Amino acid sequence: MKLTPALIEILGQDISLTKPEYLAFPVYNPSNGKVLAYVREQGEAETKAAVDAAHKAFQAWAKKTAKERATVLKHWNHLLMAHQADLGLLVALEQGRAITEARGEVAYAAGFIEWFAEEGKRSYGRTIPAVAEDKQLVTIRQPIGVVGAITPWNFPLSMLTRKLGPALAAGCTAVVKPSEETPLCAIALKNLALKAGVPEGVIGLITTTKAKPVGDVLTSDERVKKFSFTGSTPVGKGLYAQCAGTVKKISLELGGNAPLVVFDDADLDIAVPAAILSKFRNSGQTCVCANRLLVQAGIYDRFVERFTEAASKLKVALGWDESSGIGALINQKAIDKVERLVADAVAKGATVRLGGTVAQSVGDLFYPATVLSDCTRDMTLFDEEIFGPVAAIYKFESEDDGISLANDTPFGLAAYLFTQDLSRAWRVGAQLEAGMIGVNDGVMSTEVAPFGGIKESGIGREGAVEGLEEYTEIKYLSFAGIGG
Ligand code: ADP
């Protein structure tokens, strides 16, 4: 499967199907290892030029009314949805994702543009009762300025739109660097934005395989006022430190190690399908994926049996196959990691209930839904983000044991709990150390709610009103001498 004429038209001059004269790098289809297209290799100079352009464009974009910006953003949303099938195929081709999910990624991504187009109109300040008769105190929210953003490959559209949606709605301009694995999705997004009427310079896009020099400019240029990063914890920590030099406002969405806690009183008709979704969505390559399935002793055997049976129905197939439930992993490094973690767990006593070896008959980067039971605290996959379709199931005894096991990690992005007891749901939900808690819910991500982590999983929130506030500054005005 290749890029279709419709996709080639959307991607336009920014790609070449054959090796071009200019400096470029190949983008591979992970499902079959073939080159999809070549894109421009950009670096420090192009990033500086994009910041110049974004800085210039900021004045006019920030001056527009929120309603004017919303009109452009809504048009962008409509174009994304009009091309949902094309863009879904692009996600399947470039990222390896199963096509039905890939179309969902397009709608999810477009949702951020639509929602923030509206919410930009409600970027309210406050009036504050004054402390003196002749004073009036107010706050206003203003766009922060040029935004720098770096995103990963696992949601190649929505990781960008959940930064660009609120940034542009607030009146900011942005320079973004997508992952080297998925630049085509980013190019498609930008080209449709231009078509929708987003002015030149408002979105700068840097495609590169050399992330560091680009990150260095975005974190050190004083004209970049806000930096937003989604990716791995070590890289995020480095970028956080780099932002200190110019005291940038920062958002970080880093690694997770989500516990999914199933109590004895859980309803398995709810818990099993939710756990399947949470674990295997995007072949296990999401930062909110259930990384540790913690199951109470009384329900453990029944859960393992039903979960394994449900997981066995997920078909491993090429992303663009309509029946695919598990697509290709992103690259060989991902396969190596999964193999290393499974081997370590098995060596330490885990039982392989399902899967456990590469699905070579489909392709080198296909790993089937894998279920490991009898997992224990000393296994490496308790501490490391698996980022693949491997479910590790652990047994615990009391509620307190379940909570301490769940919290035994420096990460705190998502956590899930399953119980039919409302007071337990509340009690445990309050104690789990994570920014997002799914109560009998396996998929929580939506543009209308604040997404983000605590502990070493990050800083700030994306989506919802909190996501818009990340791109504004509060200015306080004190008016004196104006009468009571
Ligand atoms: P992943 O393992 O999900 O690829 P990374 O943190 O390595 O996570 O990558 C997330 C994003 O960060 C990608 O766009 C990548 O190119 C970028 N990146 C990686 N290293 C650096 C760096 N040193 N400076 C700036 N960006 C980086």
Side-chain angles (χ1 to χ4, degrees):
M1 180 65 91
K2 295 182 183 159
L3 295 178
T4 56
L7 283 171
I8 292 169
E9 193 186 326
I10 293 171
L11 295 165
Q13 301 298 309
D14 294 314
I15 65 154
S16 171
L17 296 177
T18 52
K19 200 167 188 309
E21 297 282 304
Y22 55 80
L23 196 57
F25 64 95
V27 181
Y28 294 98
N29 177 341
S31 300
N32 57 20
K34 297 208 170 114
V35 173
L36 282 169
Y38 294 83
V39 305
R40 227 169 268 282
E41 178 75 80
Q42 296 172 288
E44 190 183 333
E46 288 86 354
T47 310
K48 283 186 177 155
V51 173
D52 288 345
H55 185 63
K56 277 201 198 95
F58 176 68
Q59 299 305 330
W61 184 248
K63 237 187 235 159
K64 284 188 187 296
T65 65
K67 188 172 170 134
E68 283 169 332
R69 288 193 294 264
T71 303
V72 175
L73 292 175
K74 283 181 186 176
H75 191 190
W76 189 12
N77 167 56
H78 289 145
L79 286 177
L80 292 171
M81 289 311 289
H83 289 289
Q84 185 178 15
D86 299 318
L87 295 174
L89 180 63
L90 184 59
V91 172
L93 288 173
E94 191 181 31
Q95 194 237 303
R97 199 175 184 131
I99 186 78
T100 46
E101 272 192 33
R103 290 189 204 109
E105 155 72 351
V106 180
Y108 180 49
F112 285 97
I113 304 297
E114 183 194 34
W115 197 84
F116 282 107
E118 285 298 332
E119 195 63 12
K121 298 177 194 169
R122 291 183 279 273
S123 190
Y124 302 131
R126 285 186 295 157
T127 56
I128 300 167
V131 291
E133 256 181 31
D134 69 336
K135 280 197 167 191
Q136 291 292 341
L137 314 183
V138 295
T139 65
I140 56 171
R141 284 194 173 272
Q142 293 183 309
I144 190 161
V146 177
V147 173
I150 296 183
T151 55
W153 48 265
N154 62 338
F155 288 82
L157 298 169
S158 54
M159 291 294 122
L160 284 163
T161 60
R162 72 180 180 186
K163 300 183 193 306
L164 288 173
L168 267 58
C172 300
T173 57
V175 178
V176 298
K177 190 209 84 62
S179 166
E180 52 276 33
E181 307 280 3
T182 54
L184 299 179
C185 282
I187 290 170
L189 260 185
K190 185 193 166 191
N191 288 351
L192 291 174
L194 289 172
K195 198 167 166 191
V198 172
E200 286 286 347
V202 169
I203 301 176
L205 174 62
I206 303 297
T207 51
T208 184
T209 56
K210 297 177 183 64
K212 180 148 181 16
V214 175
D216 288 353
V217 173
L218 294 180
T219 52
S220 66
D221 193 309
E222 63 185 17
R223 293 166 303 169
V224 176
K225 301 295 183 201
K226 158 92 192 180
F227 182 73
S228 179
F229 173 75
T230 303
S232 63
T233 305
V235 173
K237 284 181 180 176
L239 294 168
Y240 187 16
Q242 284 175 220
C243 283
T246 46
V247 195
K248 291 192 200 317
K249 186 163 168 169
I250 186 154
S251 296
L252 299 171
E253 203 261 89
L254 309 177
N257 184 0
L260 184 146
V261 192
V262 183
F263 289 100
D264 281 346
D265 56 10
D267 179 343
L268 287 183
D269 288 340
I270 295 171
V272 169
I276 290 281
L277 262 182
S278 168
K279 175 69 251 180
F280 294 111
R281 197 162 63 106
N282 201 11
S283 306
Q285 302 174 112
T286 81
C287 39
V288 291
C289 268
N291 208 52
R292 295 169 293 145
L293 283 77
L294 313 177
V295 185
Q296 203 165 9
I299 204 171
Y300 183 85
D301 289 339
R302 275 181 293 146
F303 179 85
V304 170
E305 189 185 318
R306 286 191 50 184
F307 181 82
T308 306
E309 194 201 332
S312 71
K313 303 216 166 88
L314 292 168
K315 185 173 159 191
V316 185
L318 297 167
W320 50 90
D321 179 335
E322 289 288 337
S323 67
S324 179
I326 304 261
L329 298 196
I330 190 70
N331 53 29
Q332 187 59 42
K333 233 172 75 186
I335 291 281
D336 294 345
K337 180 176 193 186
V338 165
E339 289 194 311
R340 171 174 60 81
L341 293 175
V342 170
D344 171 82
V346 170
K348 290 175 181 160
T351 308
V352 181
R353 302 273 178 162
L354 184 72
T357 46
V358 174
Q360 213 76 55
S361 59
V362 189
D364 292 346
L365 300 188
F366 288 83
Y367 202 88
T370 293
V371 180
L372 305 178
S373 64
D374 310 308
C375 291
T376 47
R377 174 70 189 87
D378 58 329
M379 294 174 183
T380 312
L381 45 57
F382 187 95
D383 297 304
E384 267 189 48
E385 211 175 0
I386 302 168
F387 240 64
V390 176
I393 311 182
Y394 305 77
K395 191 189 284 185
F396 69 89
E397 298 292 335
S398 69
E399 184 180 298
D400 283 347
D401 292 343
I403 295 169
S404 8
L405 205 55
N407 289 340
D408 188 7
T409 167
F411 297 102
L413 188 58
Y416 307 85
L417 72 102
F418 292 85
T419 177
Q420 289 301 295
D421 177 343
L422 188 57
S423 45
R424 169 176 268 170
W426 183 259
R427 195 165 62 235
V428 176
Q431 290 180 78
L432 287 176
E433 295 167 358
M436 298 171 281
I437 311 284
V439 180
N440 296 320
D441 186 8
V443 178
M444 302 179 257
S445 309
T446 157
E447 69 275 16
V448 305
F451 185 107
I454 61 172
K455 295 162 84 175
E456 291 190 19
S457 284
I459 295 174
R461 294 292 180 272
E462 296 193 301
V465 64
E466 290 85 351
L468 184 65
E469 288 170 358
E470 298 280 346
Y471 295 92
T472 63
E473 286 283 24
I474 293 174
K475 187 175 280 174
Y476 157 50
L477 291 93
S478 173
F479 294 81
I482 56 172

